Amino acid sequence: MKIGMRIPGKMRQMGYDALAAWAKEVGLEAVDLPSPDAEAKAALDRAGLAVGSVDVRGIGASLSKDEKVRAEGVAQIKEDIDTMASLGMTTLFCCLIPADPATPRAESFAIFKETYPEIVAYAAERGIALAMEPYPGPAPHYPTLGCTPEMYRAIFAVIDSPALGICYDPSHYVRMGIDYLRVLDEFGDRVRHVHGKDTEILAEGRYLYGVYGPTFRPNIGWSGGDWRYCIPGTGEVNWAKVIAKLAIKGYDGVISIELEDHVYGHTLEANQRGIVNAARHLRSVM
């Protein structure tokens, strides 16, 4: 397995060549990209880094109730798939949040069943796999498809192609109360990408707010009040067990550190420290 990163907010100001050079210097092996960008790919190539996952346009639109908007979204996804294929990129990151986040999951799933078999087949023909992120989506609706085992079972019953898989991110399962290790037992062979991120359960917040969040939101970034996202090694996830289960299931791809941690979120230097500290922990248990 390789250790890489999604590009944190403050580090986006560096430019791709400087970013790639820094990533190589600190021992990273891959970088996730926010679009299938040829210039970014060339910068990674020059630094000897791999591309992890790639974000594309059109995901929300592809789940729209409006047929015209939906068709436009599908066309955008296909266009970006073509660009990815031309650049040798193989993993498409997708968070299946509908254009209208108030849409109930059951309605979005009905649209998904009509729309995504075509998208997945198109990707498969070009050697690309989709990796579904389990972020549940914004409150109060939490509308994301592909964020729970219930939805995985329903989705894979409709589309059994190996070109549709999971972006395994245990931080989301922890905040939702889902057994993140059992997810690997059942769906480990579906993992197409991994996010290196953790969640700390905040005991005082859980006492004050329960699991539905505070009335008056505390000033903590990337937090629901009773939990907060954090770097690997500072939360609830046993990364040694995660990596062992991934290996048993045959995963040999990238673990991309996703820096969403209040402690490391405020400056470029803090972003860099967070990435380095996260990578150190992951290496220590690999």
Side-chain angles (χ1 to χ4, degrees):
M1 284 175 241
K2 298 180 177 68
I3 297 177
M5 69 173 182
R6 282 181 74 82
I7 303 172
K10 301 298 182 182
M11 292 181 67
R12 294 171 193 166
Q13 67 196 40
M14 294 177 67
Y16 282 118
D17 278 311
L19 177 78
W22 180 86
K24 185 71 172 180
E25 180 183 350
V26 300
L28 300 183
E29 299 170 89
V31 176
D32 292 1
L33 294 178
S35 67
D37 182 276
E39 179 183 349
K41 173 66 161 54
L44 298 188
D45 288 344
R46 286 190 290 271
L49 297 173
V51 175
S53 71
V54 182
D55 295 16
V56 301
R57 301 166 298 158
I59 299 297
S62 72
L63 296 170
S64 172
K65 298 175 187 178
D66 185 310
E67 291 186 10
K68 181 180 178 182
V69 172
R70 191 158 68 240
E72 291 171 351
V74 171
Q76 286 184 319
I77 294 171
K78 287 182 175 180
E79 182 179 335
D80 282 356
I81 286 173
D82 287 338
T83 303
M84 286 180 63
S86 72
L87 295 170
M89 302 170 176
T90 59
T91 305
L92 186 159
F93 171 85
C94 57
C95 194
L96 298 173
I97 301 175
D100 176 5
T103 307
R105 282 190 203 163
E107 291 184 25
S108 294
F109 183 56
I111 296 169
F112 174 90
K113 289 190 291 185
E114 294 180 7
T115 305
Y116 269 78
E118 174 189 354
I119 293 171
V120 173
Y122 193 86
E125 289 171 1
R126 289 151 182 81
I128 290 169
L130 280 68
M132 298 180 291
E133 156 92 344
Y135 165 59
H141 303 291
Y142 305 109
T144 308
L145 300 180
C147 67
T148 64
E150 175 203 33
M151 286 306 313
Y152 291 153
R153 290 177 183 179
I155 285 170
F156 294 135
V158 172
I159 304 177
D160 194 33
S161 168
L164 180 64
I166 295 168
C167 175
Y168 178 80
D169 183 335
S171 70
H172 299 304
Y173 304 126
V174 170
R175 64 168 276 198
M176 290 188 285
I178 293 169
D179 185 335
Y180 64 92
L181 293 173
R182 184 176 171 186
V183 170
L184 287 177
D185 291 336
E186 183 172 358
F187 301 104
D189 60 341
R190 294 284 189 174
V191 174
R192 301 294 177 263
H193 194 59
V194 176
H195 280 174
K197 192 166 98 231
D198 214 325
T199 292
E200 178 187 5
I201 299 300
L202 304 175
E204 180 68 7
R206 185 140 297 184
Y207 169 73
L208 290 172
Y209 320 127
V211 298
Y212 296 115
T215 306
F216 312 105
R217 186 162 296 277
N219 187 28
I220 303 175
W222 298 290
S223 172
D226 63 307
W227 57 267
R228 75 173 189 95
Y229 293 140
C230 56
I231 64 169
T234 61
E236 307 297 318
V237 176
N238 186 323
W239 278 96
K241 289 185 177 181
V242 166
I243 288 169
K245 284 183 179 288
L246 286 169
I248 289 167
K249 290 292 187 175
Y251 183 75
D252 193 31
V254 178
I255 300 177
S256 287
I257 298 161
E258 184 177 29
L259 189 70
E260 295 182 344
D261 186 324
H262 185 83
V263 175
Y264 301 102
H266 299 295
T267 66
L268 171 62
E269 292 75 17
N271 277 189
Q272 292 173 327
R273 282 198 310 276
I275 294 292
V276 168
N277 289 345
R280 182 183 298 119
H281 179 75
L282 292 173
R283 289 192 194 100
S284 75
V285 296
M286 289 181 78

